Amino acid sequence: AQSVTQLDSQVPVFEEAPVELRCNYSSSVSVYLFWYVQYPNQGLQLLLKYLSGSTLVKGINGFEAEFNKSQTSFHLRKPSVHISDTAEYFCAVSDYNQAGTALIFGKGTTLSVSS
Amino acid sequence: ETGVTQTPRHLVMGMTNKKSLKCEQHLGHNAMYWYKQSAKKPLELMFVYNFKEQTENNSVPSRFSPECPNSSHLFLHLHTLQPEDSALYLCASSHLTGELFFGEGSRLTVL
């Protein structure tokens, strides 16, 4: 079964600094990867996804992630963060490209942006 | 507007009460899910329904009873809950890509 490891539980950064949130997954023949963001008292919102094609994926709010098959990683990056990026970020993986197979989530990384 | 609507957003109940959480999706998806999110713990998958059929039950206690009358609606019936069941319950739906679309969640407090 797939598993996801988010290596940092908390990441504090200053506004306008770059940030990287790390995610590693257990190996599989084919894998689909996702990053979600959760703001306080809200559900999860999709930031970006990798299904196939280019290994560099761009998402909403200026975030991007790079799929690295050899290192089984899918790290999330943003070159310059804002206070409004403060939230919980979840990496998720799926084995199959079909409905009805639930995503497996990491434990989450809390990004705290201060001025 | 996420396309997935959960009601109620907040619920407080005693251990002897019976209540239900409701989820409705307007996205035309075929699969629906219940996840439990507790503080300091990872998201826990509870139930999966695909084309109204339950395809996964992750060893969830019987005091949680799901119901999926059609592909657009999903319920979670609650009875004789424990205080440790207090959590955010998230509903989600998906189509062929496996990408999940989440509702805002129902915050449950069991007294």
Side-chain angles (χ1 to χ4, degrees), chain B residues 7-21 63-65 76-87 89 106-111:
Chain B
T7 55
R9 292 292 311 277
H10 300 274
L11 178 63
V12 179
M13 59 188 289
M15 289 190 285
T16 58
N17 292 156
K18 290 184 180 181
K19 297 286 185 183
S20 296
L21 306 181
R63 57 186 184 268
F64 295 92
S65 175
L76 188 62
H77 303 300
L78 317 168
H79 61 99
T80 59
L81 295 191
Q82 305 299 311
E84 60 264 30
D85 296 322
S86 298
Y89 289 84
S106 294
R107 173 73 62 186
L108 173 66
T109 303
V110 182
L111 301 177

Side-chain angles (χ1 to χ4, degrees), chain A residues 36 38 46 49 97 99 103, chain B residues 9 35 37 95-96 99-100:
Chain A
Y36 283 84
Q38 185 179 31
L46 182 71
K49 61 186 176 185
N97 192 14
L103 299 185
Chain B
R9 292 292 311 277
Y35 279 88
Q37 187 178 33
H95 196 50
L96 296 176
E99 172 189 342
L100 294 181

Side-chain angles (χ1 to χ4, degrees), chain B residues 6-103:
Chain B
Q6 290 187 241
T7 55
R9 292 292 311 277
H10 300 274
L11 178 63
V12 179
M13 59 188 289
M15 289 190 285
T16 58
N17 292 156
K18 290 184 180 181
K19 297 286 185 183
S20 296
L21 306 181
K22 178 183 176 182
C23 177
E24 183 175 0
Q25 58 100 357
H26 315 278
L27 302 169
H29 291 163
N30 298 318
M32 296 187 76
Y33 312 74
W34 280 115
Y35 279 88
K36 176 183 179 183
Q37 187 178 33
S38 305
K40 308 300 182 186
K41 294 176 71 174
L43 280 161
E44 300 172 53
L45 176 66
M46 299 177 73
F47 303 104
V48 181
Y49 278 82
N50 196 11
F51 290 97
K52 302 187 299 178
E53 299 296 321
Q54 188 178 126
T55 56
E56 195 157 346
N57 176 341
N58 264 17
S59 303
V60 180
S62 59
R63 57 186 184 268
F64 295 92
S65 175
E67 178 190 0
C68 188
N70 55 61
S71 294
S72 299
H73 294 85
L74 184 64
F75 295 89
L76 188 62
H77 303 300
L78 317 168
H79 61 99
T80 59
L81 295 191
Q82 305 299 311
E84 60 264 30
D85 296 322
S86 298
L88 182 68
Y89 289 84
L90 291 163
C91 174
S93 67
S94 74
H95 196 50
L96 296 176
T97 63
E99 172 189 342
L100 294 181
F101 291 76
F102 284 88

Side-chain angles (χ1 to χ4, degrees), chain A residues 12-18 79-86 112-115:
Chain A
V13 294
F14 288 108
E15 194 173 20
E16 298 182 7
S80 175
V81 294
H82 303 293
I83 298 286
S84 58
D85 292 322
T86 295
S112 300
V113 182
S114 57
S115 57

